[in-house]
Amino acid sequence: SEKRAAEAFTTVASFEADEYASRAMAAVRGEESRDVVSGESRKTNGRATCRLFPWHAPCYLGGRYLKWKRGVPQSPWFADGGVVGEGSVQTSLETFVVKAFKSRGCRLNSAGREDMDVRMLGGGRPFILEVHDPKRPGAFAEESERLAMESFLADDNDGAVTAVNIHVVPREAYITMHEGSAEKRKTYTAVCWASRALSETDLSTLTTRCSGL
């Protein structure tokens, strides 16, 4: 609710003074301050300025993304003063999310990554977006909004990047995924070609030599 959203705001106050902060605050209270160097007590006319910088704690949106087009990096990639690839997975996902949450931006965290020239098909790759300073933290609470994002991605950029199972997740899920990215095990399946038919002995030899690689 909007009330809970307001309670989540954090306020930071920074104070500036003409001389020392202690003198300025004493002046606001009309008190005498003690010089931090000489130790002498003196009346000060210093002035304190209070600046408030409110922001909202991040929200987290998870799901599984699919990449149907080659040449799309997972995150924006810049090299030699230019952009590498055609957009990015993060850019495609955050375009709708930033507007929905009215936020300042997102950070993408996923369960691994694929090369730019590799597609991501099948059930998709799990991801979580950390949404920074959302002004509308209640976004995606309704299924209609989650389906609207799926529909938007299917039409955007010829559907190069789509997503399924979009849902709000807790911060703990983001931390778990981030920590798990350092410890993962990959399994690959490859189709190999040989110039001649392989016998059982050949297959046994290959199995022995390739084990543990």
PDB file of all heavy atoms in Angstrom, residues 122-134:
ATOM      1  N   GLY A 122      14.559 -22.885 -24.564  1.00  0.00           N
ATOM      2  CA  GLY A 122      14.058 -23.806 -23.542  1.00  0.00           C
ATOM      3  C   GLY A 122      13.187 -23.102 -22.523  1.00  0.00           C
ATOM      4  O   GLY A 122      12.306 -22.300 -22.868  1.00  0.00           O
ATOM      5  N   GLY A 123      13.452 -23.390 -21.258  1.00  0.00           N
ATOM      6  CA  GLY A 123      12.650 -22.797 -20.182  1.00  0.00           C
ATOM      7  C   GLY A 123      13.107 -21.412 -19.783  1.00  0.00           C
ATOM      8  O   GLY A 123      12.486 -20.774 -18.931  1.00  0.00           O
ATOM      9  N   GLY A 124      14.207 -20.931 -20.408  1.00  0.00           N
ATOM     10  CA  GLY A 124      14.690 -19.591 -20.091  1.00  0.00           C
ATOM     11  C   GLY A 124      15.673 -19.592 -18.933  1.00  0.00           C
ATOM     12  O   GLY A 124      15.830 -20.586 -18.230  1.00  0.00           O
ATOM     13  N   ARG A 125      16.343 -18.465 -18.732  1.00  0.00           N
ATOM     14  CA  ARG A 125      17.325 -18.312 -17.658  1.00  0.00           C
ATOM     15  C   ARG A 125      16.721 -17.495 -16.514  1.00  0.00           C
ATOM     16  O   ARG A 125      16.193 -16.405 -16.741  1.00  0.00           O
ATOM     17  CB  ARG A 125      18.585 -17.615 -18.179  1.00  0.00           C
ATOM     18  CG  ARG A 125      19.720 -17.555 -17.147  1.00  0.00           C
ATOM     19  CD  ARG A 125      20.929 -16.794 -17.688  1.00  0.00           C
ATOM     20  NE  ARG A 125      21.517 -17.431 -18.851  1.00  0.00           N
ATOM     21  CZ  ARG A 125      22.360 -18.460 -18.793  1.00  0.00           C
ATOM     22  NH1 ARG A 125      22.689 -18.981 -17.620  1.00  0.00           N
ATOM     23  NH2 ARG A 125      22.865 -18.978 -19.904  1.00  0.00           N
ATOM     24  N   PRO A 126      16.809 -17.982 -15.268  1.00  0.00           N
ATOM     25  CA  PRO A 126      16.273 -17.223 -14.121  1.00  0.00           C
ATOM     26  C   PRO A 126      16.983 -15.881 -13.967  1.00  0.00           C
ATOM     27  O   PRO A 126      18.202 -15.797 -14.125  1.00  0.00           O
ATOM     28  CB  PRO A 126      16.559 -18.145 -12.925  1.00  0.00           C
ATOM     29  CG  PRO A 126      16.675 -19.515 -13.516  1.00  0.00           C
ATOM     30  CD  PRO A 126      17.306 -19.308 -14.861  1.00  0.00           C
ATOM     31  N   PHE A 127      16.228 -14.840 -13.664  1.00  0.00           N
ATOM     32  CA  PHE A 127      16.807 -13.522 -13.454  1.00  0.00           C
ATOM     33  C   PHE A 127      16.050 -12.788 -12.361  1.00  0.00           C
ATOM     34  O   PHE A 127      14.900 -13.115 -12.041  1.00  0.00           O
ATOM     35  CB  PHE A 127      16.759 -12.690 -14.745  1.00  0.00           C
ATOM     36  CG  PHE A 127      15.387 -12.164 -15.081  1.00  0.00           C
ATOM     37  CD1 PHE A 127      14.946 -10.944 -14.581  1.00  0.00           C
ATOM     38  CD2 PHE A 127      14.526 -12.897 -15.887  1.00  0.00           C
ATOM     39  CE1 PHE A 127      13.671 -10.464 -14.881  1.00  0.00           C
ATOM     40  CE2 PHE A 127      13.260 -12.434 -16.192  1.00  0.00           C
ATOM     41  CZ  PHE A 127      12.827 -11.211 -15.680  1.00  0.00           C
ATOM     42  N   ILE A 128      16.705 -11.801 -11.779  1.00  0.00           N
ATOM     43  CA  ILE A 128      16.072 -10.894 -10.816  1.00  0.00           C
ATOM     44  C   ILE A 128      16.569  -9.489 -11.115  1.00  0.00           C
ATOM     45  O   ILE A 128      17.775  -9.268 -11.236  1.00  0.00           O
ATOM     46  CB  ILE A 128      16.393 -11.258  -9.354  1.00  0.00           C
ATOM     47  CG1 ILE A 128      15.842 -12.636  -9.012  1.00  0.00           C
ATOM     48  CG2 ILE A 128      15.807 -10.209  -8.398  1.00  0.00           C
ATOM     49  CD1 ILE A 128      16.153 -13.097  -7.595  1.00  0.00           C
ATOM     50  N   LEU A 129      15.658  -8.555 -11.233  1.00  0.00           N
ATOM     51  CA  LEU A 129      16.002  -7.151 -11.424  1.00  0.00           C
ATOM     52  C   LEU A 129      15.907  -6.427 -10.092  1.00  0.00           C
ATOM     53  O   LEU A 129      14.886  -6.509  -9.402  1.00  0.00           O
ATOM     54  CB  LEU A 129      15.059  -6.488 -12.426  1.00  0.00           C
ATOM     55  CG  LEU A 129      15.284  -6.749 -13.917  1.00  0.00           C
ATOM     56  CD1 LEU A 129      14.124  -6.173 -14.712  1.00  0.00           C
ATOM     57  CD2 LEU A 129      16.599  -6.165 -14.387  1.00  0.00           C
ATOM     58  N   GLU A 130      16.979  -5.728  -9.727  1.00  0.00           N
ATOM     59  CA  GLU A 130      16.942  -4.866  -8.550  1.00  0.00           C
ATOM     60  C   GLU A 130      16.510  -3.482  -9.030  1.00  0.00           C
ATOM     61  O   GLU A 130      17.234  -2.824  -9.788  1.00  0.00           O
ATOM     62  CB  GLU A 130      18.317  -4.795  -7.891  1.00  0.00           C
ATOM     63  CG  GLU A 130      18.326  -3.935  -6.631  1.00  0.00           C
ATOM     64  CD  GLU A 130      19.703  -3.862  -5.995  1.00  0.00           C
ATOM     65  OE1 GLU A 130      20.641  -3.403  -6.691  1.00  0.00           O
ATOM     66  OE2 GLU A 130      19.853  -4.274  -4.836  1.00  0.00           O
ATOM     67  N   VAL A 131      15.343  -3.048  -8.606  1.00  0.00           N
ATOM     68  CA  VAL A 131      14.756  -1.789  -9.079  1.00  0.00           C
ATOM     69  C   VAL A 131      15.098  -0.680  -8.087  1.00  0.00           C
ATOM     70  O   VAL A 131      14.711  -0.741  -6.918  1.00  0.00           O
ATOM     71  CB  VAL A 131      13.229  -1.915  -9.228  1.00  0.00           C
ATOM     72  CG1 VAL A 131      12.651  -0.651  -9.854  1.00  0.00           C
ATOM     73  CG2 VAL A 131      12.872  -3.135 -10.069  1.00  0.00           C
ATOM     74  N   HIS A 132      15.823   0.328  -8.545  1.00  0.00           N
ATOM     75  CA  HIS A 132      16.334   1.377  -7.675  1.00  0.00           C
ATOM     76  C   HIS A 132      15.346   2.526  -7.483  1.00  0.00           C
ATOM     77  O   HIS A 132      14.767   3.018  -8.449  1.00  0.00           O
ATOM     78  CB  HIS A 132      17.643   1.933  -8.242  1.00  0.00           C
ATOM     79  CG  HIS A 132      18.701   0.886  -8.391  1.00  0.00           C
ATOM     80  ND1 HIS A 132      19.740   1.001  -9.286  1.00  0.00           N
ATOM     81  CD2 HIS A 132      18.879  -0.309  -7.770  1.00  0.00           C
ATOM     82  CE1 HIS A 132      20.515  -0.064  -9.202  1.00  0.00           C
ATOM     83  NE2 HIS A 132      20.009  -0.879  -8.297  1.00  0.00           N
ATOM     84  N   ASP A 133      15.156   2.921  -6.235  1.00  0.00           N
ATOM     85  CA  ASP A 133      14.341   4.078  -5.861  1.00  0.00           C
ATOM     86  C   ASP A 133      12.987   4.097  -6.568  1.00  0.00           C
ATOM     87  O   ASP A 133      12.665   5.050  -7.294  1.00  0.00           O
ATOM     88  CB  ASP A 133      15.108   5.366  -6.162  1.00  0.00           C
ATOM     89  CG  ASP A 133      14.441   6.584  -5.534  1.00  0.00           C
ATOM     90  OD1 ASP A 133      13.646   6.415  -4.584  1.00  0.00           O
ATOM     91  OD2 ASP A 133      14.701   7.713  -6.001  1.00  0.00           O
ATOM     92  N   PRO A 134      12.173   3.063  -6.394  1.00  0.00           N
ATOM     93  CA  PRO A 134      10.859   3.043  -7.057  1.00  0.00           C
ATOM     94  C   PRO A 134       9.878   4.019  -6.405  1.00  0.00           C
ATOM     95  O   PRO A 134       9.710   4.021  -5.188  1.00  0.00           O
ATOM     96  CB  PRO A 134      10.404   1.590  -6.854  1.00  0.00           C
ATOM     97  CG  PRO A 134      11.058   1.178  -5.572  1.00  0.00           C
ATOM     98  CD  PRO A 134      12.405   1.876  -5.561  1.00  0.00           C
TER      99      PRO A 134
END
